[in-house]
Amino acid sequence: MVTITCVRGDITQQHVDAIVNAANSSLLGGGGVDGAIHRAGGPEILDACRDLRASHYGKGLPTGRAVATTAGRLPARWVIHTVGPRWSNSEDRSALLASSYRESLRVADELGAMTVAFPAISTGIYGWPMNDGAHIAVATVREAKTTVREVRFVLFDEPAYAAFTAHLGL
Ligand code: ADP
């Protein structure tokens, strides 16, 4: 069974097999976690993303899907890029957010990753309310069938950490 842990910190500094990137569908860089990962990991990650755009993902990575690359200079071995949905007031996109977590774990399983760190996908530039984002993250990982041993949620600030610990019952 997967053990779920929660820390406050920077996902680029995590010593885990794979870290998950809250990417955008272009895979060619953005702000937030994505910017931090490319800055800390170096150009090898962007090169791998460009290769993906030139091969399997010509139109970009669809929302709710995930794909792995090298982690470049990061302590992790792989970066799993996933595209969360933008928050919408008029449409319920929860299933896509759950899919981002589930698909990331499926890719982690394919890689044989035992430890995986996730950020709070969609809760930054994409505007998802933190409490609801934390609820979907925790519920989806709890229900996932995965060979990953540890899922570590890495939260950047205190409100995010508080939301995740509350949903985890910590
Ligand atoms: P999205 O576009 O999916 O909303 P963002 O990268 O803008 O993605 O934000 C997702 C979450 O990651 C936000 O809660 C943000 O505060 C957090 N975050 C930003 N930088 C880091 C980092 N270096 N490590 C962990 N979490 C981060």
Side-chain angles (χ1 to χ4, degrees):
M1 221 182 73
V2 61
T3 300
I4 306 177
T5 59
C6 196
V7 298
R8 222 188 123 174
D10 179 348
I11 200 160
T12 66
Q13 303 306 309
Q14 302 300 309
H15 290 255
V16 286
D17 294 330
I19 65 169
V20 175
N21 181 16
N24 61 49
S25 80
S26 81
L27 292 175
L28 299 179
V33 181
D34 190 276
I37 287 172
H38 286 288
R39 266 194 308 278
E44 236 192 299
I45 303 173
L46 195 55
D47 287 346
C49 287
R50 287 206 185 94
D51 288 347
L52 287 169
R53 285 300 305 274
S55 54
H56 285 56
Y57 296 98
K59 293 182 183 156
L61 182 65
T63 304
R65 300 268 299 276
V67 67
T69 66
T70 172
R73 296 197 288 258
L74 296 175
R77 204 157 148 206
W78 298 286
V79 175
I80 298 173
H81 306 263
T82 188
V83 184
R86 285 176 196 274
W87 169 256
S88 163
N89 280 313
S90 56
E91 191 186 16
D92 181 7
R93 299 177 177 168
S94 305
L96 283 169
L97 184 54
S99 174
S100 282
Y101 285 98
R102 225 175 4 248
E103 285 293 296
S104 297
L105 287 174
R106 194 180 57 74
V107 171
D109 287 351
E110 283 172 10
L111 294 167
M114 289 291 147
T115 51
V116 178
F118 278 94
I121 298 166
S122 290
T123 65
I125 296 160
Y126 281 4
W128 206 284
M130 185 55 76
N131 189 49
D132 196 55
H135 166 71
I136 292 168
V138 169
T140 306
V141 171
R142 272 190 180 142
E143 286 163 13
K145 286 189 175 60
T146 175
T147 49
V148 171
R149 298 270 172 76
E150 181 195 353
V151 165
R152 185 182 305 169
F153 290 114
V154 181
L155 294 320
F156 210 43
D157 58 24
E158 184 52 40
Y161 182 75
F164 274 75
T165 50
H167 284 288
L168 286 165
L170 300 174

